[in-house]
Amino acid sequence: MKLWTSYHFPLKIYCRKKLGKRLIIDKNGNDEQERSLLSKLKQFFGAQFTSKMEGMLNDVTVAKEQQSKYEDYKRANPESNPSVVLNVQILTTGHWPSYKTVDINLPSEMVKCVGTFSQFYHSRTKHRKLNWIYSLGICNVFGMFEPKVIELIVTTYQIVTQLNLSEDDTVRVLHSLSCAKYKILNKEPSNRTISPHDVFEFNHKFTDKMKRIKVPLPPSDEKKKIMDDVNKDRRFAIDAALVRIMKSRKIMTHQNLVAECVEHLSRMFKPDNKMIKKRIEDLITREYLERDKDASAMD
């Protein structure tokens, strides 16, 4: 039971983070498809596994209704209406994964946006606190390049002039704007690494065949850590499946053992044959399994 619980905890975190990215950053998903997927996960893993993810989808539905009311508020209060179009999603803390929150120096236009929405929100809800997660923000800005004007879809971090970010986040932002596919900034020296003494300037001559482009940030180390945790717990799940199979079967050929292990785990994930072979070797080394000395050598 410990192996079962251990495996599903990081998987649940991974699913929540992926769902959060689709709902907030990518925004290309279909709510009905997401609910259908959650229904299947719920049938297999249980209601506790999906409860927070269902709450995330409900937050998105409520946010659409709230955005309409915010637009009504701005029309009723034209003196506080900012020049920048702002769309806000309120995330219930208990439902969503934890996201990094830092104070950054926003442009004055965005400061007014934040103030106006805060006034609207607190006029309707007195006992809740807003924590702005700027790391999830997406902005559409118009780049006035010499060849033509291009609409850029960037993160909030990529538009502020005085970032006040950590060194790691600053490196990611500068890399996305100068070293990746779209060279919005010129960098000297013109290599693909970011160093403290590099010099950056706006690339006035930048152009692209598209009129609207998305400039993504490179992935953070957090994604790698999640994948490492998932792979670690998959190894535990494979070990448990192999031991259970061998306790039941007593003797099996290597080929049949691998095939039954794949079938045993197929409803949770599709294990790689090479990983299963490594797990068999590890279990033999730790004396959980042993080779039949009368049988031919394992492939």
Side-chain angles (χ1 to χ4, degrees):
M1 183 59 70
K2 284 186 177 180
L3 285 172
W4 181 262
T5 305
S6 174
Y7 169 72
H8 284 86
F9 181 70
L11 176 61
K12 180 163 62 174
I13 295 175
Y14 180 74
C15 288
R16 286 173 64 203
K17 285 184 176 291
K18 283 292 187 180
L19 177 61
K21 180 181 178 182
R22 292 196 299 272
L23 295 178
I24 299 175
I25 299 175
D26 291 343
K27 295 185 178 180
N28 293 324
N30 182 293
D31 286 357
E32 291 304 316
Q33 291 178 349
E34 298 289 3
R35 292 187 186 279
S36 176
L37 175 60
L38 288 185
S39 177
K40 294 176 182 178
L41 291 173
K42 188 174 184 177
Q43 289 176 8
F44 185 75
F45 294 111
Q48 186 177 4
F49 186 91
T50 59
S51 61
K52 291 186 178 181
M53 286 182 276
E54 289 170 334
M56 293 165 67
L57 280 173
N58 290 335
D59 278 355
V60 172
T61 300
V62 172
K64 293 176 181 177
E65 299 171 358
Q66 191 169 56
Q67 183 66 31
S68 177
K69 293 175 181 176
Y70 174 54
E71 298 301 326
D72 292 339
Y73 174 84
K74 289 193 297 180
R75 282 190 288 269
N77 297 272
E79 73 285 351
S80 63
N81 192 351
S83 58
V84 177
V85 177
L86 177 70
N87 289 280
V88 179
Q89 283 184 286
I90 301 295
L91 315 182
T92 304
T93 304
H95 296 161
W96 295 74
S98 58
Y99 296 109
K100 180 168 64 175
T101 58
V102 293
D103 291 327
I104 60 175
N105 296 326
L106 294 173
S108 58
E109 296 86 353
M110 292 186 66
V111 171
K112 185 172 183 179
C113 283
V114 169
T116 300
F117 185 86
S118 297
Q119 291 172 6
F120 156 75
Y121 185 74
H122 292 304
S123 69
R124 300 170 54 84
T125 307
K126 300 293 185 183
H127 305 293
R128 293 185 180 180
K129 181 181 179 182
L130 283 177
N131 289 315
W132 293 84
I133 308 174
Y134 299 118
S135 60
L136 299 179
I138 300 294
C139 301
N140 290 46
V141 298
F142 290 96
M144 311 301 288
F145 303 102
E146 289 180 5
K148 65 178 182 180
V149 177
I150 300 178
E151 184 178 359
L152 307 175
I153 305 173
V154 297
T155 69
T156 307
Y157 280 4
Q158 290 167 303
I159 68 164
V160 291
T161 44
Q162 297 178 354
L163 295 172
N164 191 31
L165 295 177
S166 67
E167 182 177 349
D168 289 343
D169 285 332
T170 303
V171 167
R172 289 176 64 223
V173 169
L174 291 173
H175 189 279
S176 72
L177 297 172
S178 63
C179 302
K181 181 178 180 180
Y182 304 112
K183 306 296 191 294
I184 310 301
L185 300 180
N186 290 323
K187 185 177 91 69
E188 188 63 39
S190 58
N191 51 33
R192 293 184 58 83
T193 59
I194 304 298
S195 302
H197 300 294
D198 290 349
V199 177
F200 301 86
E201 66 176 0
F202 182 68
N203 181 9
H204 293 277
K205 298 187 181 299
F206 173 80
T207 189
D208 190 83
K209 62 181 181 180
M210 305 296 290
K211 294 182 179 180
R212 188 181 190 218
I213 59 176
K214 183 175 183 179
V215 186
L217 278 174
S220 65
D221 291 338
E222 184 179 18
K223 179 179 179 181
K224 181 178 182 301
K225 181 180 183 303
I226 293 171
M227 289 305 302
D228 288 344
D229 288 341
V230 170
N231 288 331
K232 178 180 177 181
D233 288 295
R234 284 184 174 180
R235 292 196 294 270
F236 289 153
I238 293 171
D239 287 355
L242 290 169
V243 171
R244 283 197 295 269
I245 292 168
M246 290 308 299
K247 279 185 176 180
S248 172
R249 304 290 190 181
K250 306 303 181 185
I251 297 176
M252 292 186 76
T253 65
H254 174 256
Q255 183 177 358
N256 288 342
L257 177 57
V258 171
E260 189 159 337
C261 182
V262 170
E263 182 180 359
H264 189 85
L265 296 171
S266 60
R267 291 188 65 190
M268 292 186 288
F269 65 95
K270 184 178 180 180
D272 180 71
N273 286 0
K274 291 181 180 180
M275 180 180 285
I276 295 176
K277 184 173 182 178
K278 288 181 180 179
R279 300 320 306 153
I280 292 172
E281 293 290 344
D282 186 68
L283 290 171
I284 291 172
T285 301
R286 291 187 286 147
E287 300 183 348
Y288 283 91
L289 305 178
E290 65 177 359
R291 289 189 176 90
D292 186 343
K293 294 181 176 60
D294 297 327
S296 58
M298 186 171 63
D299 293 339

